[in-house]
């Protein structure tokens, strides 16, 4: 039986963002595990706020600064990326205000789908539509602004 979801071979230039996306998928998994293990919502909300502040905010800023110019006239992709960033920001704010199972589930779903969109559609478009020189310049920009992943010290997902 063929794999319905084979791994995507990402260009080395976009790999730093893909590594951060991998951390984002782990974030989604950890939220879902926390809900499954019935971890206190306040505890989960602290994790969400930390991840948002330390990982998501800088990641979105990099994408918005570096990817928007390279997308050129592909407005639908720009708009989708920005709209999804706004929805994630809104959901994180709502989780901070009033954490609930439904909000955590919605945030996990939306963030997962957003990462999948960027990996499968947005990045693929960039890789095939820009020149090798532009892709290399993008890679140099990303290398300057991405770094090590911080670690959250409360491994609630392992209960």
């Amino acid at each position: 039986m063929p794999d319905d979801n084979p791994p995507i071979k990402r260009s080395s230039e976009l790999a730093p963002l893909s590594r951060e996306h991998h951390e984002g998928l782990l974030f989604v998994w950890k939220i879902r595990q926390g809900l499954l293990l019935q971890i206190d919502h306040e505890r989960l909300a602290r994790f969400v706020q930390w991840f948002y502040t330390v990982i998501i905010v800088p990641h979105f800023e990099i994408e918005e600064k570096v990817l928007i110019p390279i997308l050129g006239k592909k407005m639908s992709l720009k708009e989708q990326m920005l709209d999804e960033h706004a929805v994630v920001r809104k959901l994180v704010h709502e989780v901070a205000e009033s954490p609930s199972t439904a909000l955590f589930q919605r945030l996990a779903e939306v963030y997962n789908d957003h990462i999948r969109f960027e990996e499968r559609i947005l990045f693929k478009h960039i890789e095939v539509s820009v020149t090798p020189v532009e892709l290399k310049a993008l890679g140099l920009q990303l290398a300057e602004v991405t770094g090590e992943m911080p670690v959250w010290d409360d491994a609630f997902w392992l209960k």
Side-chain angles (χ1 to χ4, degrees), residues 113-126:
D113 292 350
H114 171 67
I115 290 169
R116 299 298 185 194
F117 155 72
E118 288 191 348
E119 286 291 329
R120 294 177 180 157
I121 298 170
L122 185 72
F123 288 4
K124 184 177 178 180
H125 169 77
I126 290 170

Side-chain angles (χ1 to χ4, degrees), residues 32-150:
R32 290 174 173 159
Q33 280 298 109
L35 292 172
L36 185 68
L37 296 170
Q38 299 180 347
I39 301 300
D40 178 71
H41 284 176
E42 294 299 326
R43 191 173 168 194
L44 282 177
R46 284 191 300 275
F47 171 66
V48 166
Q49 290 306 309
W50 173 84
F51 193 88
Y52 175 73
T53 302
V54 174
I55 309 289
I56 295 176
V57 168
H59 179 83
F60 282 2
E61 287 173 356
I62 291 166
E63 287 182 337
E64 291 169 10
K65 177 183 175 190
V66 175
L67 298 184
I68 287 176
I70 206 161
L71 285 170
K73 297 182 187 287
K74 198 66 175 173
M75 290 304 292
S76 62
L77 293 177
K78 286 185 212 181
E79 289 171 4
Q80 183 171 348
M81 180 181 74
L82 292 171
D83 288 349
E84 290 179 5
H85 285 185
V87 172
V88 170
R89 288 179 179 111
K90 180 179 179 290
L91 286 168
V92 168
H93 178 73
E94 290 175 7
V95 163
E97 293 294 315
S98 182
S100 70
T101 298
L103 278 174
F104 287 120
Q105 289 171 335
R106 181 75 179 130
L107 174 61
E109 175 187 353
V110 164
Y111 198 53
N112 179 77
D113 292 350
H114 171 67
I115 290 169
R116 299 298 185 194
F117 155 72
E118 288 191 348
E119 286 291 329
R120 294 177 180 157
I121 298 170
L122 185 72
F123 288 4
K124 184 177 178 180
H125 169 77
I126 290 170
E127 288 173 330
V128 300
S129 67
V130 302
T131 68
V133 171
E134 290 171 317
L135 195 57
K136 183 173 179 145
L138 175 62
L140 292 173
Q141 283 184 288
L142 292 175
E144 290 178 9
V145 293
T146 55
E148 297 238 355
M149 275 301 149

Side-chain angles (χ1 to χ4, degrees), residues 6-46:
I8 298 170
K9 177 71 172 134
R10 184 62 54 229
S11 70
S12 61
E13 293 83 4
L14 287 169
L17 292 177
S18 287
R19 282 190 290 279
E20 290 180 358
H21 284 164
H22 176 73
E23 292 298 322
L25 294 174
L26 288 173
F27 167 71
V28 167
W29 178 82
K30 290 171 184 178
I31 290 172
R32 290 174 173 159
Q33 280 298 109
L35 292 172
L36 185 68
L37 296 170
Q38 299 180 347
I39 301 300
D40 178 71
H41 284 176
E42 294 299 326
R43 191 173 168 194
L44 282 177
R46 284 191 300 275

